[in-house]
Amino acid sequence: MARLRDGAVYWLHRALVVLCALCWTSSVRFVVGQAGQLSVDASPQTARKIPDKMFGIFFEEINHAGAGGLWAELVSNRGFEAGGPNTPSNIDPWFIIGNESSIIVGTDRTSCFERNPVALQMEVLCDSKGTNVCPSGGVGVYNPGYWGMNIERRKSYKVSLHIRSSDAVSLSVSLRSSDGLQKLACHTITGGKKQFTNWTKIEFHLKSNINNTNSRLQLTTTKTGVLWLDQVSVMPSDTYMGHGFRKDLASMLADLKPQFLKFPGGNYAMGNYLRNAFQWGETVGPWEERSGHFNDAWGYWTDDGLGFFEFLQLAEDLGASPVWVVNDGASANEEVSTARIASLVKDVVDGIEFARGGPKTTWGSVRAAMGHPQPFKLDYVSIGNQECWMLYYRGNYQKFYSAIKASYPDINIVSSCDKSTISPSNPADLYDVHVYASSANMFSRTSMFDNTPRSGPKAIVSEYAVTGNDAGKGTLVAALAEAAFLVGLEKNSDVVEMASCAPLFVNDNDRRWSPDAIVFNSWQHYGCPNYWMLHFFKDSSGATFHPTAMQISNYDQMVASAITWQNPKDRSTYLKIKVLFFVVNFGSKGVDLNITVAGLGSSIKSSGSKKTVLTSAAPLDENSFQQPEKVTPVSSSLADAKQQMGVSVSPYSLTSFNLLLEPSKHSTI
């Protein structure tokens, strides 16, 4: 969690950073300050393979990242459970259409779903004729979704709801503008007195001829009687890989080529209280039967449409290895003793069976019934979320470790304790590291793992981010500091196995944490500078690392790395050299850099090489909905690519030189 800032200190510091940025901007037209030498040793003797899963992504249900975000469900509180199990209850964000003389709306516990007992009851007092005539358009309820539903022209939306009534039914289900005046699409459900005596599921599709980014779902009637509704859903038919993920947001993840997906949190996995922790077993099976839960770590309800199965499916769709964070018996305010941890341990082993078990096993059969008979490839389980300091963590961890290894000895188990605590009596395959720091401090952590012992378990840096005064909502300087940190991880990839940033997503209507990699609302999205920075590292997993040496006086804030990697599409091989120039002094100028490559087994082709630069007019620049590409990489062909070449590097920039190699003799590790 971010610490509260002292107002006066914060704004003074911010002003100084802005002044520095203005001074730098005035010099960026710009004169090269001095020359330097970058040497790349590409010989096989010094080369080292970077782990195959080096760079991935970490998803936490924070900032409405899933509910109202990546999970494409448009209805908020679709099962009317968010108000709690006691009725009558709050139905927020549903609104009533009509006054108390025409309709009475409440909740009761008459649902047909055992784990979701709450249903909505509409007692309609008016009619289409007689002494109490319903208002024009009828009475009922509407749902605005998550700050408005994005309805796109000519796209299909699957509507599903459960209905019960002992009276004749004529229910209009429509998609409308936010004020209800403009009808985008409509379907009417009708039936006689006996047709809906029992709960009945109704499904149909709606298609609009109009675009509207701020729509709502409306259910109205002009027929007197009592009507119950439950589990009301609107899903776009066009989702990523057909699996329910919002297509534009999931595509942004796919573009990063993540090699692993760590989920579901974070604090979300633990909860402020255990009753609100992520319980995997409550999030599988038909979505109507999922109980949902209050995300007390970040203050909102989730219907758990994005559940354990969906996380595994997303990892598979992205070609990433799932890394499951399990609750270790601790929340922010509670802890289960080791003497009482057995049931939670069994629950985790059952969860692994759900993911990996055959279709005839107890939990594997549940997965198969959900449409995935083949097991998921779950190879990583992380025990807890940085609770090593808690009283029972180590004892509980031993129980989890032993039980998981007994049934699944190949699974890699991640400890929340640091490397110094791991031993034969307290074993781990990996240990989890979280790094949150200011931009200057993050840059200094380029050498964080330089002196780490080279034997024993490796680190997974599963959460890192620049926070504080110059992070803003995602600034260039924050992205560059994180890039420098990742360069250090590449250099130390013999002791660091995996890395991912945090948080990944933020719905701009519910920003609980800044900065984040991807910002969105119901219909727009953009990547922050740190999202675009990650593109410079997406080819590093499984690549070959080459040592570099920088020779330049008075510039201790320039770092570089080099890799060779192969494009899987055309099998072309590239030498990629990344140079990061991170400056904080006034009047900083560019550097004229001479790059020399030695020991390369293949020559560099005369054409096909590319230079890509991430920079902007000022180090505190951010992207926004108004300027989504203000800070994005710019690529150009590199005509004079060779083993010795001169280049210019701008202040506050990340530059990659992707050099296409001749195919003849080059080999990778």
Side-chain angles (χ1 to χ4, degrees), residues 36-69:
Q37 175 71 36
L38 174 62
S39 301
V40 179
D41 182 359
S43 62
Q45 293 82 0
T46 59
R48 185 183 73 244
K49 187 177 186 295
I50 295 174
D52 290 333
K53 305 184 191 312
M54 183 70 190
F55 293 113
I57 53 178
F58 165 60
F59 182 95
E60 176 160 17
E61 181 60 271
I62 179 177
N63 305 320
H64 273 89

Side-chain angles (χ1 to χ4, degrees), residues 8-58:
V9 173
Y10 167 69
W11 286 111
L12 177 60
H13 185 277
R14 187 78 173 177
L16 290 173
V17 174
V18 172
L19 179 59
C20 173
L22 291 173
C23 292
W24 170 74
T25 303
S26 66
S27 67
V28 80
R29 287 180 174 84
F30 74 145
V31 179
V32 172
Q34 61 175 300
Q37 175 71 36
L38 174 62
S39 301
V40 179
D41 182 359
S43 62
Q45 293 82 0
T46 59
R48 185 183 73 244
K49 187 177 186 295
I50 295 174
D52 290 333
K53 305 184 191 312
M54 183 70 190
F55 293 113
I57 53 178
F58 165 60

Side-chain angles (χ1 to χ4, degrees), residues 503-558:
L504 189 59
F505 284 114
V506 59
N507 187 316
D508 197 50
N509 296 285
D510 187 40
R511 188 180 289 270
R512 306 293 174 112
W513 185 284
S514 287
D516 309 271
I518 300 170
V519 183
F520 65 91
N521 57 26
S522 66
W523 63 287
Q524 297 169 294
H525 67 271
Y526 64 86
C528 290
N530 65 334
Y531 169 80
W532 294 109
M533 175 274 294
L534 292 174
H535 284 255
F536 286 74
F537 293 86
K538 67 182 182 181
D539 299 315
S540 294
S541 299
T544 301
F545 174 81
H546 302 291
T548 60
M550 185 81 72
Q551 293 179 333
I552 183 170
S553 61
N554 301 321
Y555 278 89
D556 60 351
Q557 291 192 311
M558 177 176 278

Side-chain angles (χ1 to χ4, degrees), residues 10-175:
Y10 167 69
W11 286 111
L12 177 60
H13 185 277
R14 187 78 173 177
L16 290 173
V17 174
V18 172
L19 179 59
C20 173
L22 291 173
C23 292
W24 170 74
T25 303
S26 66
S27 67
V28 80
R29 287 180 174 84
F30 74 145
V31 179
V32 172
Q34 61 175 300
Q37 175 71 36
L38 174 62
S39 301
V40 179
D41 182 359
S43 62
Q45 293 82 0
T46 59
R48 185 183 73 244
K49 187 177 186 295
I50 295 174
D52 290 333
K53 305 184 191 312
M54 183 70 190
F55 293 113
I57 53 178
F58 165 60
F59 182 95
E60 176 160 17
E61 181 60 271
I62 179 177
N63 305 320
H64 273 89
L70 182 61
W71 187 241
E73 173 63 62
L74 297 182
V75 177
S76 177
N77 189 18
R78 67 188 181 196
F80 308 102
E81 303 289 336
N86 298 320
T87 59
S89 57
N90 188 352
I91 61 172
D92 184 70
W94 292 86
F95 289 87
I96 301 171
I97 302 171
N99 60 35
E100 61 188 16
S101 67
S102 57
I103 186 172
I104 298 174
V105 176
T107 56
D108 61 23
R109 296 173 58 86
T110 62
S111 174
C112 59
F113 300 107
E114 182 179 350
R115 291 196 292 176
N116 299 308
V118 178
L120 185 79
Q121 182 193 69
M122 297 196 309
E123 183 180 358
V124 181
L125 307 176
C126 60
D127 208 336
S128 58
K129 55 186 177 181
T131 58
N132 189 6
V133 177
C134 292
S136 176
V139 296
V141 292
Y142 75 85
N143 187 291
Y146 299 90
W147 301 280
M149 299 179 180
N150 180 35
I151 302 301
E152 298 182 68
R153 181 172 177 259
R154 294 181 179 175
K155 288 196 174 180
S156 178
Y157 297 85
K158 182 180 179 181
V159 180
S160 174
L161 70 154
H162 289 71
I163 187 171
R164 180 172 72 88
S165 179
S166 57
D167 300 299
V169 171
S170 178
L171 182 69
S172 174
V173 182
S174 60
L175 295 171

